[in-house]
Amino acid sequence: HFPFNGALWRNRMVLHDLPPVGSPPYPTDIMVFKGTLIALDMVPEIGLPHDHYFLMNEEYEYCLRASRHGRHHYVVPQPLLRPLEEEPPSGYPAWRGYYQARNQLAMILEHRSPGELWWWGLAQAKFVVAALRRRQEVWEDISLRLLGAWHALRGVTGITIDPAKRA
């Protein structure tokens, strides 16, 4: 029951009000894989999450693929797990923007969805504006997002930027 754990999907992530902790499970379209349980009988039917979406977007793509096969998703608003690490307070490093831009665009191209493509372009513009306002590592943030988009268009997948070498 994390703030971004369960969302609706209307060609983009749509956040909705979360019920209080202890409420009954509630349906979602997509979720992040933080304490996610997957029905074992679903794996032979739709497979595993795609490894070419390394690090970002694998869970959204998997949830959307499961939905296309008639599967439903629910979030249990109960703290069952304790995270091993806290979310970074000042945002994510630039290399994560590369994977976010690349993998989401790759998924959109796979879906052939004009609505998702429009939303992706809008989101990338917002990320660029945020980088300009922050004024720290601006060129790295923007150039890695552009590289991610270029790689998505060329079909480049998997681990291409080693996070350990960027730390």
Side-chain angles (χ1 to χ4, degrees), residues 69-148:
H69 282 84
R71 297 295 183 138
H72 302 282
H73 314 91
Y74 296 90
V75 172
V76 177
Q78 200 63 254
L80 302 175
L81 300 171
R82 186 180 50 173
L84 297 175
E85 60 185 18
E86 296 299 320
E87 295 290 327
S90 61
Y92 291 106
W95 60 264
R96 286 185 67 113
Y98 164 84
Y99 285 111
Q100 187 274 336
R102 185 195 75 181
N103 293 351
Q104 191 167 27
L105 181 56
M107 182 186 82
I108 290 165
L109 295 173
E110 187 179 319
H111 292 176
R112 302 187 188 295
S113 172
E116 288 179 47
L117 181 61
W118 170 253
W119 180 82
W120 178 87
L122 207 57
Q124 298 313 304
K126 288 180 181 181
F127 284 123
V128 167
V129 169
L132 292 170
R133 284 186 175 165
R134 196 172 55 251
R135 296 185 181 163
Q136 294 174 337
E137 303 174 351
V138 174
W139 177 243
E140 185 179 23
D141 283 354
I142 294 171
S143 63
L144 285 175
R145 282 189 176 277
L146 289 171
L147 181 62

Side-chain angles (χ1 to χ4, degrees), residues 17 25-26 33 46 50 98-99 109 126 147 161:
D17 292 333
Y26 60 93
F33 287 174
I46 70 167
H50 294 310
Y98 164 84
Y99 285 111
L109 295 173
K126 288 180 181 181
L147 181 62
I161 293 179

Side-chain angles (χ1 to χ4, degrees), residues 24-80:
Y26 60 93
T28 66
D29 295 324
I30 57 173
M31 64 185 73
V32 296
F33 287 174
K34 289 187 177 181
T36 302
L37 298 174
I38 297 173
L40 188 58
D41 68 335
M42 185 171 74
V43 175
E45 182 182 340
I46 70 167
L48 295 169
H50 294 310
D51 61 356
H52 59 268
Y53 289 125
F54 164 74
L55 194 64
M56 298 291 281
N57 230 54
E58 69 279 1
E59 62 265 270
Y60 295 167
E61 188 282 331
Y62 195 69
C63 288
L64 293 173
R65 190 168 11 127
S67 292
R68 287 195 304 268
H69 282 84
R71 297 295 183 138
H72 302 282
H73 314 91
Y74 296 90
V75 172
V76 177
Q78 200 63 254
L80 302 175

